[in-house]
Amino acid sequence: KSHEELLIPPVPCHAKTNVMFLKTHKTASSTVLNIMFRFAERYNLTVALPADQLFHLGYPRTFVAHFVEGFEAIGQNYNIMCNHLRFNPLEVKKVMAANTFYFSILRNPIPLLESSYIYYKNNVPAFRSSKNVNEFLASPTKFYHPADYRESIYARNIMWFDFGYDNNAEDDTKYTQAVLEEIEQNFHLILIADYFDESMILLKHALCWDLDDVIYFKLNSRSQDTVQTLTPESEEQIKEWCSLDWKLYLHFNQSFWRRIEETIGLEVLEKEVDHLRTRQKELMETCLSEPEAVRKDDIRNRALLPFQSGAANILGYNLKQDLDNRTLRSCQKMVMPELQYTSYLYTVQHPHKKRKELGLPLLWTSLQEK
């Protein structure tokens, strides 16, 4: 390096600690939620948690500020918001500081719809009354009735709905264009679940976080044997049936890669993704007794059992038996399912409130061990 170059100090950036993550459905968002919760604990931040016994912020109702526990008392002093909600920018802004960083995540609607089908098989009338995902997609209108609005959101344009828009709206160019522009104005970054590791690197750069802040173990995934194979016809049908989500995905998949090229570059991206995967492997070897996630019946510690839904077998993890306390604690946080983690943070932040009922044993029954 030349002498002059060494004189230019790098511009340090500070980790952003006011962050709102719009958690979308079946998009690897539970893994992101875990990252957010661990970050909040690391920096001792206040999380906008669901009030009372709920595990989501009023979903599928459109979000209003009082869905957040303690909002009346705490006001705009929350740092992190990341539980499921249906986006409503004006109400979210009442809860989150003016300098909050907003991001979300999207997934290709083709694997997304198949995933929803399995996960919500028992809850969604349109899914319940069809034999399998291909039968449903052969003639969706036969099974789907917009009138069952609450139960049916998962069957059509679920991402569009989560962002606060009408998932049964006409796919009109002027309308969709306006929505895409509005989302671009409301969100600083939209990640893509299909490129999850690349997304984590982009997030790390955008928030000025460390690599260890975005290290994760994949959470809330299901066993391969519950995946149904879509026919080529079904895949094409999804693009039509969920055309609003399809447009959303195509648009932000493009801006995602553009963002990477403009900010990090593909070369650095590849290096950092490798780095992330190496570190992740190290941690898995430190923490886990098996090299990967296991089926629900093989999870030894029932306190770490993820919520099970539909025909999916949601996988979880077994930790090594002989970890020292500090390692055990950080490994537990890496594998802690969403409901347990939400419940635990709630008890920490609102010790005088009635605990959230999980119907599962809690890892930490008393907080003095925290």
Side-chain angles (χ1 to χ4, degrees):
K1 280 198 173 179
S2 71
H3 184 63
E4 282 81 31
E5 262 182 277
L6 296 174
L7 296 174
I8 307 168
V11 180
C13 63
H14 289 285
K16 290 188 166 63
T17 52
N18 289 336
V19 187
M20 190 277 168
F21 169 56
L22 174 63
K23 187 177 192 292
T24 45
H25 286 78
K26 314 304 331 142
T27 56
S29 63
S30 296
T31 304
V32 181
L33 179 105
N34 179 275
I35 288 171
M36 301 303 293
F37 278 172
R38 281 184 288 124
F39 184 82
E41 285 201 90
R42 177 182 168 185
Y43 286 98
N44 212 352
L45 304 173
T46 307
V47 183
L49 292 167
D52 306 320
Q53 292 294 305
L54 287 179
F55 286 90
H56 49 72
L57 293 160
Y59 193 89
R61 288 179 295 169
T62 300
F63 177 77
V64 286
H66 72 247
F67 290 160
V68 173
E69 185 63 75
F71 172 69
E72 278 70 26
I74 299 171
Q76 212 178 19
N77 288 313
Y78 296 91
N79 306 108
I80 302 284
M81 179 184 243
C82 55
N83 289 78
H84 274 305
L85 60 84
R86 186 172 186 212
F87 194 60
N88 180 3
L90 293 173
E91 288 291 314
V92 172
K93 284 192 173 86
K94 291 182 185 173
V95 178
M96 301 303 289
N99 68 349
T100 298
F101 183 94
Y102 287 78
F103 79 102
S104 188
I105 189 165
L106 299 172
R107 181 183 183 186
N108 183 326
I110 296 172
L112 174 74
L113 190 105
E114 186 275 333
S115 173
S116 293
Y117 187 91
I118 303 301
Y119 195 84
Y120 297 110
K121 180 74 172 144
N122 311 334
N123 311 62
V124 176
F127 292 166
R128 243 198 332 259
S129 53
S130 53
K131 271 204 307 290
N132 56 44
V133 69
N134 291 307
E135 185 187 57
F136 167 70
L137 285 164
S139 48
T141 48
K142 194 169 100 185
F143 302 104
Y144 177 88
H145 307 292
D148 312 327
Y149 139 89
R150 282 216 166 158
E151 291 77 31
S152 292
I153 49 182
Y154 304 104
R156 186 178 201 187
N157 295 313
I158 179 64
M159 297 188 291
W160 200 261
F161 180 87
D162 287 349
F163 274 86
Y165 302 100
D166 174 6
N167 61 318
N168 291 305
E170 281 295 310
D171 182 352
D172 163 79
T173 311
K174 223 170 102 177
Y175 165 68
T176 54
Q177 205 40 53
V179 167
L180 294 175
E181 280 170 26
E182 193 165 68
I183 292 173
E184 277 186 338
Q185 276 169 354
N186 285 327
F187 289 86
H188 298 91
L189 181 64
I190 303 283
L191 304 175
I192 301 292
D194 312 73
Y195 305 100
F196 193 80
D197 289 346
E198 292 82 354
S199 289
M200 289 308 99
I201 298 305
L202 190 52
L203 183 67
K204 168 179 103 74
H205 279 265
L207 294 175
C208 189
W209 287 8
D210 299 334
L211 185 67
D212 267 6
D213 292 325
V214 296
I215 295 285
Y216 66 93
F217 296 163
K218 195 171 168 189
L219 295 178
N220 208 36
S221 63
R222 60 188 161 135
S223 57
Q224 252 336 94
D225 59 4
T226 62
V227 177
Q228 293 183 6
T229 309
L230 293 162
T231 63
E233 295 75 38
S234 289
E235 295 199 352
E236 285 310 305
Q237 180 68 41
I238 291 173
K239 296 180 196 175
E240 302 260 316
W241 174 243
C242 295
S243 65
L244 300 171
D245 271 4
W246 186 245
K247 282 189 170 174
L248 185 63
Y249 175 74
L250 289 181
H251 178 88
F252 284 104
N253 183 39
Q254 266 188 329
S255 62
F256 174 80
W257 290 103
R258 202 166 50 238
R259 179 78 162 260
I260 282 174
E261 279 166 17
E262 288 166 5
T263 56
I264 323 176
L266 291 173
E267 231 172 299
V268 173
L269 177 75
E270 205 177 321
K271 274 202 194 72
E272 294 205 25
V273 164
D274 279 348
H275 203 141
L276 174 82
R277 289 177 179 158
T278 307
R279 182 82 184 101
Q280 183 183 43
K281 236 180 113 178
E282 282 169 13
L283 274 172
M284 291 184 92
E285 279 163 14
T286 302
C287 292
L288 306 178
S289 59
E290 291 93 350
E292 54 200 26
V294 298
R295 300 171 63 99
K296 60 181 180 194
D297 301 332
D298 299 324
I299 297 168
R300 287 192 298 267
N301 180 349
R302 303 318 271 174
L304 293 174
L305 181 73
F307 177 75
Q308 300 292 324
S309 176
N313 186 323
I314 304 297
L315 307 177
Y317 294 94
N318 286 319
L319 299 176
K320 285 189 174 153
Q321 302 284 313
D322 50 356
L323 300 171
D324 64 86
N325 267 347
R326 196 164 150 236
T327 311
L328 176 65
R329 206 32 88 82
S330 61
C331 290
Q332 280 174 331
K333 300 262 162 93
M334 297 278 306
V335 304
M336 196 184 299
E338 183 174 330
L339 303 188
Q340 286 90 319
Y341 214 149
T342 299
S343 172
Y344 161 70
L345 285 182
Y346 184 84
T347 312
V348 173
Q349 284 189 189
H350 306 285
H352 305 302
K353 294 270 179 183
K354 183 177 183 303
R355 297 167 165 258
K356 290 189 188 290
E357 300 293 331
L358 254 187
L360 282 166
L362 274 177
L363 266 180
W364 299 292
T365 35
S366 70
L367 285 165
Q368 68 254 21
E369 313 157 48
K370 195 189 161 226

